[in-house]
Structures are given as structure tokens and as C-alpha cells.
Amino acid sequence: MKKIVLAYSGGLDTSCAIKWFKDKGYDVVCFIADLGQGEDFQKIEERGLAGGASKVYCKNLQEEFIDDFIVPSLKANAVYEGKYLLATALGRPLIAKYLVEVAHKEKAEAVAHGCTGKGNDQVRLEVTTGILDPKLKILAPLREWEFKSRDEEIEYARKHNIPIDVTKKKPYSIDRNLWGISIEAGILENLDQEPPEDCYLITKSPTGTATYPKYVEIAFEKGVPKKLDGKNVKLKDLIMSLNEIGGSYGIGRYDMVENRLVGIKSREIYEAPAATMLHIAHRELEALVLDRDLMHFKEMISQKYAELIYYGLWYSHLKESLDAFVETTQKYVTGSIRLKLFKGNCVPVGRSSAHSLYKKELATYGSEDKFDQRLAEGFIRLWGMPYKR
Ligand code: ARG
């Protein structure tokens, strides 16, 4: 029997996919990745087996997701098209890595996923799989099966006793992990429609948040967040706390029209309180410790780095090379940033670092000024010289 490893979420699509593959004569092994989406994994495992999988792997990948994917993207200040902090995009190469690993272990001939043919995630999973093992086949049932609507799919599931969970009609398509939530489809496809409050899962509406601000202090060591309000914390706990705190102040909501890889524009709502706060703090600290040239150059790298994540090129040589550059830039990114949270806003209001390049005696307009203003005249003359005709 031909064996495949299916990236399984427990949702309608991948549950139907198990049956669909079995009817085509495949032995289906499911793989569930725990990236902190906060699901009942035992229930999903049982559902996979009840739905016809011969085996279900469930792996907690949260630590690896944080250390090897989130942290490098934070160090790089990777943000796609000015808004998207890339939670979904960062998770895909990690899922693919383990699909390949399980496929090898199970001696499967192919891996499979439940992505549609219109999205970015199919590209990310397949490009990564192709890089890690070019010989593995990849199957994408949603690109070829016959269901024309979600209702038809539900009908199919009912007819074949596939355990699914469609008690209430899902108005949105949601992807969630520790770093953030992506929400699309349904009414959100109307660009002129403000996102209804019910599409947000972890952030409160800024209208209803506290009428007084809250301060949090984040300390970094070489670009990695280490402390919250002066206390050492594990990065996972820090991210979870910031999601909670930031969410309660309405921080990290984005309403975005983005350029997909497959050539279309789409509208996505993002929630990423922790990612937003950590990015703001990290950039603020860099502003203090990086010299001007390095900072400006790094901004170009950040954009490229974000593109590579979005495009599914995590395991490319270019991304690996940029990592080496980014790592060097983090040498002095040690210090603390105090953030003020208030009604959906997160602003840095305090900063300190032993590596700060800010010299008060040079910047001050007060009496302790050490800046020799007479030097400015000659500097300006030489600086402007090439531009005079
Ligand atoms: N647009 C985002 C990306 O390409 C998220 C994709 C998944 N979104 C979703 N709502 N299921 O990374």
C-alpha cells in the first residue's frame, strides 16, 4: 500500500482528505504540529484515527518554533509589507520539516497538505519539502477534489461518518499559533467593510480597554528578549504574557490588503500583540545601539528577510546568509525598553543600554554641551561641495 504523511489540523478539509486518500488506496499517517494554537490535541488525534488514519503523530514544536523561527525573524525585524509579522508564514517551513522527517521514518512515498491552490501556504510547504527532500512526492487534494462548496464537503463528511466539528457555521478562515493569528474570508472579503468585532480572538477593542495606561519593560540580550519587568522569563512565557497583556489593551490588530505569492491581492486581519510589542521594543533598542549606516542598511535587509519568509524560502542560501549578517548586528542589542500601552497603542517611552551610542553631552542644548559647533561650518562646506555647479 502506498503510504502518505498528511499535515493534519483536525478541521473539515484535512478530515475529509483522510477519507479521500483512503478511497484512492493510500495508507494515511497524520502529522499534527503544535505551534501553540491552543487546541485539544488529544481530541484531534482521536478524530484522525476515527477518521481512518493508520497512525497519528502529534509533536509539540513550540520551543523550536520560538528559538529557530520567531527569534531570528525578530532579530531581523521582519515585517511583510509594513504590517504582517508573519506568524503563519514562519510556521510553515517548520511543519514541512517534520512532515519530511515523519515521511522518512514511516518510509512514505509522499507528503500531503490541506492548503488550497490559491494561497501562500501550499507554496511554503511544498518549496520547503522540495528543498529538504527533492525525491518526496507532494499531494494537495484541495487543488483537485470535486467539492464545490463547504456545504458539499460537510455533506461528504456526514455521509462517510467522518468525525467533524461543525456545530456552528464558521464565518472566517483562521490560522493561529504563538506568534499571532491570521483571519480571512467571509464578510472580510468586502474591503470597504470594517472588520466586525467577532473576528478578533485575543485582542479587545481599544474602545473598551482601560482608561489608564500600563507600562511594561522588556530587557534584551544580543537581540533576544530575556526579562519582563525585571524578572527573567522563558521566552515562551514572555510571549504568552505579552499576548495576554497586549491583547487586553487592544494592541496588535492589523487590517491589511496584501500581495500574495500567487499574484492576487487578498485581505487579511492579523492579531499579534506579543509580536507587535517585541518588534517595537527591539527596533527601539537597535535605534540606540546601532550606528547610522548599519541601521539604515539593516532596514533593507529586514525587508528582504520578510519577503523570503513570506515566499517560503526559509531554507534558502540567501536567508542563511542574511542570518549571518543579522546575527552580527545583534552583538550590542542588549538593554531595556519601557513600553506604554494605552487604547491599542504601544509606544516606547524609556530606553537604556550599556552599549548606547547616545551621548547626552553631545546632544544636549543645556550648559553641559561638549559639541564643538564651530566644526559644523567646515563639515557643511565639504559635505555640500559635490553638489555645487
Ligand atoms: N495571509 C497569511 C499568509 O499568507 C495567512 C494565510 C493563512 N490565513 C488564514 N486565515 N487561514 O501568511
Side-chain angles (χ1 to χ4, degrees):
M1 220 178 180
K2 300 170 287 182
K3 198 188 263 185
I4 57 157
V5 180
L6 170 68
Y8 185 59
S9 71
L12 177 65
D13 289 335
T14 48
S15 295
C16 288
I18 299 177
K19 168 75 182 150
W20 192 83
F21 277 123
K22 286 197 68 181
D23 286 348
K24 297 217 164 355
Y26 287 101
D27 173 6
V28 182
V29 173
C30 285
F31 175 72
I32 309 166
D34 174 1
L35 299 182
Q37 61 269 49
E39 303 250 17
D40 182 345
F41 292 105
Q42 199 182 331
K43 206 170 120 193
I44 298 177
E45 235 177 289
E46 285 162 12
R47 188 180 293 174
L49 290 170
S54 62
K55 212 190 245 184
V56 179
Y57 287 81
C58 179
K59 202 158 164 69
N60 183 337
L61 301 176
Q62 294 185 34
E63 301 291 333
E64 187 171 350
F65 185 42
I66 293 170
D67 296 343
D68 297 352
F69 293 81
I70 290 176
V71 167
S73 84
L74 178 63
K75 286 177 175 174
N77 299 325
V79 184
Y80 186 67
E81 295 184 344
K83 289 183 183 173
Y84 176 31
L85 291 157
L86 297 159
T88 298
L90 279 166
R92 295 309 184 238
L94 178 57
I95 294 171
K97 178 185 163 186
Y98 279 92
L99 278 179
V100 171
E101 200 181 290
V102 174
H104 288 167
K105 197 166 158 208
E106 288 288 329
K107 299 194 174 29
E109 65 163 46
V111 297
H113 60 73
C115 306
T116 72
K118 296 176 71 165
N120 297 314
D121 289 328
Q122 52 170 350
V123 184
R124 297 169 183 144
L125 289 174
E126 295 186 30
V127 167
T128 306
T129 303
I131 292 173
L132 298 178
D133 181 356
K135 286 198 274 303
L136 260 180
K137 280 198 219 133
I138 304 162
L139 302 168
L142 272 76
R143 290 200 294 243
E144 40 180 306
W145 68 23
E146 45 287 333
F147 310 122
K148 276 177 205 69
S149 65
R150 199 178 155 83
D151 287 337
E152 254 184 57
E153 220 180 314
I154 293 172
E155 199 38 50
Y156 173 86
R158 292 242 159 85
K159 206 168 100 197
H160 294 96
N161 290 319
I162 299 168
I164 49 164
D165 182 11
V166 279
T167 34
K168 48 179 185 287
K169 203 163 161 9
K170 290 207 179 91
Y172 310 108
S173 156
I174 295 172
D175 181 73
R176 178 174 185 167
N177 64 42
L178 267 178
W179 200 230
I181 306 181
S182 310
I183 306 142
E184 67 173 350
I187 199 168
L188 300 169
E189 287 169 2
N190 305 327
L191 299 190
D192 203 28
Q193 156 91 48
E194 181 176 350
E197 271 310 310
D198 76 351
C199 79
Y200 296 106
L201 303 178
I202 55 169
T203 55
K204 271 176 99 172
S205 164
T207 338
T209 55
T211 50
Y212 45 87
K214 180 178 176 71
Y215 294 87
V216 293
E217 191 169 303
I218 300 165
F220 292 82
E221 271 171 41
K222 292 191 164 59
V224 184
K226 292 283 180 189
K227 291 184 190 175
L228 179 60
D229 294 329
K231 279 198 248 3
N232 283 312
V233 273
K234 276 182 61 188
L235 202 37
K236 183 183 156 185
D237 297 328
L238 177 73
I239 292 171
M240 294 201 321
S241 302
L242 293 184
N243 272 335
E244 182 107 14
I245 300 167
S248 73
Y249 277 80
I251 302 210
R253 289 182 168 192
Y254 304 86
D255 175 354
M256 172 173 188
V257 174
E258 71 193 42
N259 289 292
R260 275 195 200 164
L261 262 161
V262 293
I264 56 178
K265 289 189 188 290
S266 69
R267 200 245 198 123
E268 191 103 40
I269 306 302
Y270 295 107
E271 288 185 282
T276 299
M277 293 162 74
L278 288 171
H279 263 273
I280 290 173
H282 181 259
R283 286 191 60 124
E284 193 65 21
L285 184 55
E286 285 193 335
L288 200 59
V289 301
L290 300 188
D291 65 68
R292 180 180 58 196
D293 271 343
L294 182 53
M295 234 183 108
H296 293 183
F297 191 80
K298 187 167 183 258
E299 272 172 26
M300 298 191 295
I301 300 303
S302 299
Q303 198 190 328
K304 189 72 208 171
Y305 199 100
E307 256 176 39
L308 292 174
I309 295 173
Y310 193 88
Y311 294 172
L313 300 174
W314 183 262
Y315 289 106
S316 65
H317 197 174
L318 176 54
K319 167 22 201 79
E320 187 186 340
S321 307
L322 294 185
D323 272 330
F325 167 78
V326 170
E327 194 52 43
T328 310
T329 65
Q330 299 303 290
K331 192 168 165 187
Y332 299 118
V333 187
T334 297
S336 289
I337 299 296
R338 194 161 68 253
L339 300 172
K340 181 178 183 174
L341 318 179
F342 186 59
K343 295 234 165 260
N345 287 309
C346 169
V347 282
V349 292
R351 60 283 274 164
S352 69
S353 168
H355 301 294
S356 170
L357 296 176
Y358 174 82
K359 297 189 174 62
K360 181 150 183 249
E361 69 277 18
L362 296 182
T364 183
Y365 288 99
S367 57
E368 59 287 29
D369 186 8
K370 296 251 167 55
F371 190 101
D372 185 349
Q373 300 197 25
R374 287 166 308 177
L375 296 175
E377 192 189 336
F379 166 75
I380 294 164
R381 252 201 249 166
L382 293 182
W383 178 251
M385 199 160 63
Y387 311 103
K388 285 181 182 161
R389 290 194 183 271

PDB file of all heavy atoms in Angstrom, residues 34 118 127 137 142 160-161 165 182 195 222 225 253 270 285 305 322 341 358:
ATOM      1  N   ASP A  34       2.068  21.094  16.952  1.00  0.00           N
ATOM      2  CA  ASP A  34       1.629  22.026  17.996  1.00  0.00           C
ATOM      3  C   ASP A  34       2.542  23.245  17.995  1.00  0.00           C
ATOM      4  O   ASP A  34       3.677  23.195  18.463  1.00  0.00           O
ATOM      5  CB  ASP A  34       1.664  21.312  19.358  1.00  0.00           C
ATOM      6  CG  ASP A  34       1.349  22.261  20.518  1.00  0.00           C
ATOM      7  OD1 ASP A  34       1.080  23.451  20.270  1.00  0.00           O
ATOM      8  OD2 ASP A  34       1.395  21.794  21.674  1.00  0.00           O
ATOM      9  N   LYS A 118      -4.879  28.542  -3.989  1.00  0.00           N
ATOM     10  CA  LYS A 118      -4.840  29.998  -4.177  1.00  0.00           C
ATOM     11  C   LYS A 118      -3.948  30.708  -3.181  1.00  0.00           C
ATOM     12  O   LYS A 118      -3.722  31.905  -3.286  1.00  0.00           O
ATOM     13  CB  LYS A 118      -6.253  30.584  -4.012  1.00  0.00           C
ATOM     14  CG  LYS A 118      -7.235  30.123  -5.035  1.00  0.00           C
ATOM     15  CD  LYS A 118      -8.603  30.669  -4.727  1.00  0.00           C
ATOM     16  CE  LYS A 118      -8.652  32.168  -4.981  1.00  0.00           C
ATOM     17  NZ  LYS A 118     -10.042  32.652  -5.021  1.00  0.00           N
ATOM     18  N   VAL A 127       7.663  24.115  -1.305  1.00  0.00           N
ATOM     19  CA  VAL A 127       9.034  24.543  -1.606  1.00  0.00           C
ATOM     20  C   VAL A 127       9.978  24.004  -0.528  1.00  0.00           C
ATOM     21  O   VAL A 127      11.052  23.491  -0.825  1.00  0.00           O
ATOM     22  CB  VAL A 127       9.120  26.084  -1.720  1.00  0.00           C
ATOM     23  CG1 VAL A 127      10.569  26.554  -1.703  1.00  0.00           C
ATOM     24  CG2 VAL A 127       8.436  26.555  -2.989  1.00  0.00           C
ATOM     25  N   LYS A 137       7.247  12.906  -2.985  1.00  0.00           N
ATOM     26  CA  LYS A 137       6.115  13.447  -3.753  1.00  0.00           C
ATOM     27  C   LYS A 137       5.253  14.309  -2.825  1.00  0.00           C
ATOM     28  O   LYS A 137       5.244  14.116  -1.614  1.00  0.00           O
ATOM     29  CB  LYS A 137       5.268  12.307  -4.299  1.00  0.00           C
ATOM     30  CG  LYS A 137       5.854  11.680  -5.537  1.00  0.00           C
ATOM     31  CD  LYS A 137       4.768  10.881  -6.266  1.00  0.00           C
ATOM     32  CE  LYS A 137       5.374   9.601  -6.796  1.00  0.00           C
ATOM     33  NZ  LYS A 137       4.636   8.396  -6.540  1.00  0.00           N
ATOM     34  N   LEU A 142      -6.918  19.439  -2.043  1.00  0.00           N
ATOM     35  CA  LEU A 142      -7.856  20.558  -2.237  1.00  0.00           C
ATOM     36  C   LEU A 142      -7.745  21.209  -3.608  1.00  0.00           C
ATOM     37  O   LEU A 142      -8.639  21.915  -4.047  1.00  0.00           O
ATOM     38  CB  LEU A 142      -7.668  21.624  -1.141  1.00  0.00           C
ATOM     39  CG  LEU A 142      -8.518  21.364   0.107  1.00  0.00           C
ATOM     40  CD1 LEU A 142      -7.929  20.257   0.942  1.00  0.00           C
ATOM     41  CD2 LEU A 142      -8.679  22.615   0.933  1.00  0.00           C
ATOM     42  N   HIS A 160     -20.012   9.822   5.118  1.00  0.00           N
ATOM     43  CA  HIS A 160     -18.993   8.803   5.391  1.00  0.00           C
ATOM     44  C   HIS A 160     -18.617   8.721   6.867  1.00  0.00           C
ATOM     45  O   HIS A 160     -17.592   8.148   7.218  1.00  0.00           O
ATOM     46  CB  HIS A 160     -17.744   9.077   4.545  1.00  0.00           C
ATOM     47  CG  HIS A 160     -17.977   8.926   3.083  1.00  0.00           C
ATOM     48  ND1 HIS A 160     -18.264   9.999   2.254  1.00  0.00           N
ATOM     49  CD2 HIS A 160     -18.043   7.825   2.299  1.00  0.00           C
ATOM     50  CE1 HIS A 160     -18.447   9.566   1.023  1.00  0.00           C
ATOM     51  NE2 HIS A 160     -18.326   8.250   1.022  1.00  0.00           N
ATOM     52  N   ASN A 161     -19.460   9.291   7.714  1.00  0.00           N
ATOM     53  CA  ASN A 161     -19.207   9.255   9.164  1.00  0.00           C
ATOM     54  C   ASN A 161     -17.829   9.769   9.556  1.00  0.00           C
ATOM     55  O   ASN A 161     -17.179   9.222  10.443  1.00  0.00           O
ATOM     56  CB  ASN A 161     -19.381   7.831   9.701  1.00  0.00           C
ATOM     57  CG  ASN A 161     -20.830   7.417   9.674  1.00  0.00           C
ATOM     58  OD1 ASN A 161     -21.714   8.219  10.005  1.00  0.00           O
ATOM     59  ND2 ASN A 161     -21.082   6.202   9.241  1.00  0.00           N
ATOM     60  N   ASP A 165     -16.426  18.825  13.338  1.00  0.00           N
ATOM     61  CA  ASP A 165     -16.931  19.693  14.385  1.00  0.00           C
ATOM     62  C   ASP A 165     -17.490  20.947  13.707  1.00  0.00           C
ATOM     63  O   ASP A 165     -16.790  21.923  13.530  1.00  0.00           O
ATOM     64  CB  ASP A 165     -15.739  20.021  15.311  1.00  0.00           C
ATOM     65  CG  ASP A 165     -16.159  20.883  16.473  1.00  0.00           C
ATOM     66  OD1 ASP A 165     -17.367  21.059  16.689  1.00  0.00           O
ATOM     67  OD2 ASP A 165     -15.253  21.380  17.170  1.00  0.00           O
ATOM     68  N   SER A 182      -4.073  34.720  11.996  1.00  0.00           N
ATOM     69  CA  SER A 182      -4.457  35.244  10.685  1.00  0.00           C
ATOM     70  C   SER A 182      -5.921  34.911  10.458  1.00  0.00           C
ATOM     71  O   SER A 182      -6.334  33.770  10.632  1.00  0.00           O
ATOM     72  CB  SER A 182      -3.631  34.591   9.568  1.00  0.00           C
ATOM     73  OG  SER A 182      -2.250  34.642   9.864  1.00  0.00           O
ATOM     74  N   PRO A 195     -13.724  45.421   9.885  1.00  0.00           N
ATOM     75  CA  PRO A 195     -13.802  44.074  10.477  1.00  0.00           C
ATOM     76  C   PRO A 195     -14.749  44.073  11.674  1.00  0.00           C
ATOM     77  O   PRO A 195     -14.599  44.895  12.573  1.00  0.00           O
ATOM     78  CB  PRO A 195     -12.367  43.800  10.936  1.00  0.00           C
ATOM     79  CG  PRO A 195     -11.519  44.764  10.201  1.00  0.00           C
ATOM     80  CD  PRO A 195     -12.360  45.949   9.850  1.00  0.00           C
ATOM     81  N   LYS A 222      21.623  40.573  23.395  1.00  0.00           N
ATOM     82  CA  LYS A 222      22.014  40.279  21.996  1.00  0.00           C
ATOM     83  C   LYS A 222      20.796  40.013  21.106  1.00  0.00           C
ATOM     84  O   LYS A 222      20.742  39.046  20.342  1.00  0.00           O
ATOM     85  CB  LYS A 222      22.970  39.082  21.948  1.00  0.00           C
ATOM     86  CG  LYS A 222      24.342  39.371  22.563  1.00  0.00           C
ATOM     87  CD  LYS A 222      25.292  38.236  22.214  1.00  0.00           C
ATOM     88  CE  LYS A 222      26.750  38.540  22.420  1.00  0.00           C
ATOM     89  NZ  LYS A 222      27.171  38.915  23.752  1.00  0.00           N
ATOM     90  N   PRO A 225      14.810  38.625  23.693  1.00  0.00           N
ATOM     91  CA  PRO A 225      14.120  39.071  24.905  1.00  0.00           C
ATOM     92  C   PRO A 225      14.381  38.108  26.058  1.00  0.00           C
ATOM     93  O   PRO A 225      14.274  36.893  25.878  1.00  0.00           O
ATOM     94  CB  PRO A 225      12.631  39.025  24.519  1.00  0.00           C
ATOM     95  CG  PRO A 225      12.592  38.817  23.047  1.00  0.00           C
ATOM     96  CD  PRO A 225      13.877  38.220  22.627  1.00  0.00           C
ATOM     97  N   ARG A 253      -3.552  44.714  16.386  1.00  0.00           N
ATOM     98  CA  ARG A 253      -4.546  44.419  15.356  1.00  0.00           C
ATOM     99  C   ARG A 253      -4.104  45.040  14.037  1.00  0.00           C
ATOM    100  O   ARG A 253      -3.678  46.197  14.022  1.00  0.00           O
ATOM    101  CB  ARG A 253      -5.901  45.034  15.728  1.00  0.00           C
ATOM    102  CG  ARG A 253      -6.587  44.358  16.880  1.00  0.00           C
ATOM    103  CD  ARG A 253      -7.944  45.024  17.106  1.00  0.00           C
ATOM    104  NE  ARG A 253      -8.765  44.233  18.017  1.00  0.00           N
ATOM    105  CZ  ARG A 253     -10.060  44.430  18.221  1.00  0.00           C
ATOM    106  NH1 ARG A 253     -10.679  45.405  17.574  1.00  0.00           N
ATOM    107  NH2 ARG A 253     -10.739  43.661  19.043  1.00  0.00           N
ATOM    108  N   TYR A 270      -4.983  40.527  11.079  1.00  0.00           N
ATOM    109  CA  TYR A 270      -3.997  39.865  11.932  1.00  0.00           C
ATOM    110  C   TYR A 270      -4.142  40.339  13.370  1.00  0.00           C
ATOM    111  O   TYR A 270      -4.476  41.500  13.624  1.00  0.00           O
ATOM    112  CB  TYR A 270      -2.567  40.172  11.464  1.00  0.00           C
ATOM    113  CG  TYR A 270      -2.252  39.608  10.102  1.00  0.00           C
ATOM    114  CD1 TYR A 270      -2.146  40.445   8.994  1.00  0.00           C
ATOM    115  CD2 TYR A 270      -2.068  38.246   9.922  1.00  0.00           C
ATOM    116  CE1 TYR A 270      -1.864  39.926   7.738  1.00  0.00           C
ATOM    117  CE2 TYR A 270      -1.779  37.717   8.671  1.00  0.00           C
ATOM    118  CZ  TYR A 270      -1.678  38.563   7.585  1.00  0.00           C
ATOM    119  OH  TYR A 270      -1.403  38.049   6.350  1.00  0.00           O
ATOM    120  N   LEU A 285      15.456  49.531  20.686  1.00  0.00           N
ATOM    121  CA  LEU A 285      16.775  49.270  21.265  1.00  0.00           C
ATOM    122  C   LEU A 285      17.860  49.370  20.194  1.00  0.00           C
ATOM    123  O   LEU A 285      18.945  49.931  20.430  1.00  0.00           O
ATOM    124  CB  LEU A 285      16.761  47.883  21.927  1.00  0.00           C
ATOM    125  CG  LEU A 285      18.028  47.462  22.664  1.00  0.00           C
ATOM    126  CD1 LEU A 285      18.422  48.498  23.725  1.00  0.00           C
ATOM    127  CD2 LEU A 285      17.840  46.091  23.313  1.00  0.00           C
ATOM    128  N   TYR A 305      14.372  39.995   4.105  1.00  0.00           N
ATOM    129  CA  TYR A 305      14.209  38.849   5.013  1.00  0.00           C
ATOM    130  C   TYR A 305      12.720  38.503   5.148  1.00  0.00           C
ATOM    131  O   TYR A 305      12.330  37.335   5.091  1.00  0.00           O
ATOM    132  CB  TYR A 305      14.809  39.214   6.367  1.00  0.00           C
ATOM    133  CG  TYR A 305      15.141  38.039   7.261  1.00  0.00           C
ATOM    134  CD1 TYR A 305      16.455  37.567   7.369  1.00  0.00           C
ATOM    135  CD2 TYR A 305      14.154  37.415   8.025  1.00  0.00           C
ATOM    136  CE1 TYR A 305      16.765  36.516   8.205  1.00  0.00           C
ATOM    137  CE2 TYR A 305      14.455  36.350   8.859  1.00  0.00           C
ATOM    138  CZ  TYR A 305      15.773  35.907   8.952  1.00  0.00           C
ATOM    139  OH  TYR A 305      16.070  34.854   9.775  1.00  0.00           O
ATOM    140  N   LEU A 322      21.780  35.889   5.091  1.00  0.00           N
ATOM    141  CA  LEU A 322      21.278  37.069   5.788  1.00  0.00           C
ATOM    142  C   LEU A 322      21.292  36.841   7.303  1.00  0.00           C
ATOM    143  O   LEU A 322      21.532  37.767   8.074  1.00  0.00           O
ATOM    144  CB  LEU A 322      19.865  37.425   5.316  1.00  0.00           C
ATOM    145  CG  LEU A 322      19.730  37.880   3.861  1.00  0.00           C
ATOM    146  CD1 LEU A 322      18.300  38.319   3.571  1.00  0.00           C
ATOM    147  CD2 LEU A 322      20.700  39.010   3.521  1.00  0.00           C
ATOM    148  N   LEU A 341       1.401  51.154  27.148  1.00  0.00           N
ATOM    149  CA  LEU A 341       0.258  50.577  26.433  1.00  0.00           C
ATOM    150  C   LEU A 341      -0.993  51.352  26.783  1.00  0.00           C
ATOM    151  O   LEU A 341      -1.305  51.556  27.960  1.00  0.00           O
ATOM    152  CB  LEU A 341       0.049  49.116  26.849  1.00  0.00           C
ATOM    153  CG  LEU A 341       1.294  48.240  26.997  1.00  0.00           C
ATOM    154  CD1 LEU A 341       0.898  46.832  27.438  1.00  0.00           C
ATOM    155  CD2 LEU A 341       2.071  48.187  25.690  1.00  0.00           C
ATOM    156  N   TYR A 358      24.115  56.934  22.289  1.00  0.00           N
ATOM    157  CA  TYR A 358      23.590  58.278  22.576  1.00  0.00           C
ATOM    158  C   TYR A 358      24.500  58.940  23.602  1.00  0.00           C
ATOM    159  O   TYR A 358      24.748  58.392  24.675  1.00  0.00           O
ATOM    160  CB  TYR A 358      22.176  58.140  23.133  1.00  0.00           C
ATOM    161  CG  TYR A 358      21.564  59.449  23.605  1.00  0.00           C
ATOM    162  CD1 TYR A 358      20.971  60.330  22.706  1.00  0.00           C
ATOM    163  CD2 TYR A 358      21.574  59.783  24.960  1.00  0.00           C
ATOM    164  CE1 TYR A 358      20.408  61.510  23.143  1.00  0.00           C
ATOM    165  CE2 TYR A 358      21.008  60.968  25.404  1.00  0.00           C
ATOM    166  CZ  TYR A 358      20.434  61.832  24.484  1.00  0.00           C
ATOM    167  OH  TYR A 358      19.877  63.000  24.921  1.00  0.00           O
TER     168      TYR A 358
END
